Amino acid sequence: LSMRRIPMNKGRVFIISGPSGSGKDTLMKKVFEKAPDILFSISSITRPMRVGEAEGEKYNFISRERFEEMIANDELLEHNVFVGNYYGTPKAPVLNAVNDGKNMLIEVDVNGAYQILEKIPDAVSIFIMPPSLEILKARLTGRGTDEQSVIDKRLFEALREISCAKDYDYIVVNDDLETAANEFVSIISVDKFKTDRNLELINKILNK
Ligand code: ADP
Ligand code: 5GP
């Protein structure tokens, strides 16, 4: 046992990735119903708003100029270009949440996940897997939000993303929504028992 000073607990960052159409959005809404105390990171993006989306809910829809300013000012924890548009995670809300001891979910593509893990090595990564490529295709088409050419590009990206799934800590298959949401919540729930989340308790007992 080393005598090094035991640091205080901080909140955990959970990184969520998965191919477009795997159901991340749908699943996160369910997860929030079951675990309302978790925070979600709102990304800044330059893609046009889809029908059914609202400013500030999941995304802040900003101009390319403003996005490039955020990059230049080092306001982003990570960023990436996906199918021709910028997507990025604002740094300040994530750092504030973690310092306040709160859990934060960040949805990013695999490039974003690697960037976050370099800066926050103890982040927990979860990959949302579609049950099959056929089902993924059917969900992307069925969602009815993208043109066929965009769907084709998203399917191409999907194969690349799925080939990176092996680098994630956990895989949740989104077949039955309710089951997948329960599995996801169980991963978050078990995290509070990890040793690095209980250092304050150890300190308290030793200092008595
Ligand atoms: P993503 O956020 O990963 O791009 P979405 O949440 O938009 O994916 O889901 C893509 C489509 O698949 C949506 O039309 C959604 O209603 C549907 N979907 C998501 N999860 C399931 C599921 N478990 N079973 C059936 N359809 C689903
Ligand atoms: P969509 O256009 O379908 O909403 O998202 C496209 C892709 O961008 C998805 O893989 C999604 O996970 C990813 N994404 C969403 N927000 C961010 C972000 O802030 N940073 C990065 N790198 N990717 C993101």
Side-chain angles (χ1 to χ4, degrees):
L1 267 175
S2 81
M3 294 300 285
R4 77 189 148 84
R5 192 171 170 276
I6 301 172
M8 295 282 276
N9 299 331
K10 295 213 164 160
R12 182 83 75 197
V13 166
F14 292 90
I15 302 172
I16 319 304
S17 304
S20 177
S22 58
K24 300 179 295 295
D25 216 14
T26 313
L27 195 55
M28 287 313 107
K29 285 189 181 132
K30 263 265 175 278
V31 165
F32 188 66
E33 283 170 22
K34 292 171 187 281
D37 52 337
I38 196 146
L39 299 174
F40 284 86
S41 159
I42 298 174
S43 302
S44 291
I45 71 169
T46 63
R47 125 166 118 58
M49 200 187 282
R50 288 179 186 142
V51 176
E53 285 182 328
E55 167 64 26
E57 232 174 58
K58 182 182 171 192
Y59 293 137
N60 287 132
F61 296 88
I62 65 171
S63 67
R64 288 189 84 85
E65 292 68 34
R66 173 65 190 123
F67 198 101
E68 282 165 2
E69 191 181 281
M70 290 181 88
I71 299 175
N73 292 345
D74 198 24
E75 291 175 58
L76 297 171
L77 185 62
E78 62 75 38
H79 69 277
N80 187 47
V81 174
F82 182 88
V83 190
N85 293 298
Y86 280 124
Y87 292 73
T89 305
K91 199 189 281 179
V94 177
L95 299 186
N96 290 340
V98 169
N99 284 331
D100 286 353
K102 296 193 176 119
N103 288 334
M104 180 73 133
L105 288 188
I106 312 181
E107 191 209 304
V108 286
D109 76 309
V110 296
N111 292 325
Y114 293 134
Q115 291 176 53
I116 295 175
L117 280 168
E118 266 187 21
K119 294 181 182 162
I120 309 177
D122 71 350
V124 171
S125 57
I126 307 173
F127 194 91
I128 310 302
M129 191 70 88
S132 69
L133 275 186
E134 289 69 33
I135 292 177
L136 181 67
K137 205 169 175 173
R139 285 188 188 163
L140 273 175
T141 312
R143 188 167 68 185
T145 51
D146 299 293
E147 289 174 23
Q148 191 56 47
S149 64
V150 173
I151 291 180
D152 289 344
K153 284 185 195 141
R154 283 173 179 264
L155 280 170
F156 180 80
E157 285 296 322
L159 294 176
R160 192 180 63 83
E161 299 222 8
I162 292 170
S163 71
C164 298
K166 59 177 177 6
D167 295 333
Y168 283 70
D169 294 320
Y170 296 96
I171 307 274
V172 171
V173 179
N174 180 22
D175 190 354
D176 175 64
L177 181 64
E178 194 66 29
T179 306
N182 286 334
E183 289 169 353
F184 193 101
V185 170
S186 68
I187 294 170
I188 296 171
S189 307
V190 84
D191 187 72
K192 68 171 181 283
F193 302 111
K194 289 206 80 178
T195 306
D196 67 349
R197 300 297 298 274
N198 288 282
L199 301 175
E200 235 171 291
L201 171 75
I202 301 175
N203 273 337
K204 202 174 121 198
I205 291 177
L206 284 180
N207 290 338
K208 271 275 154 78

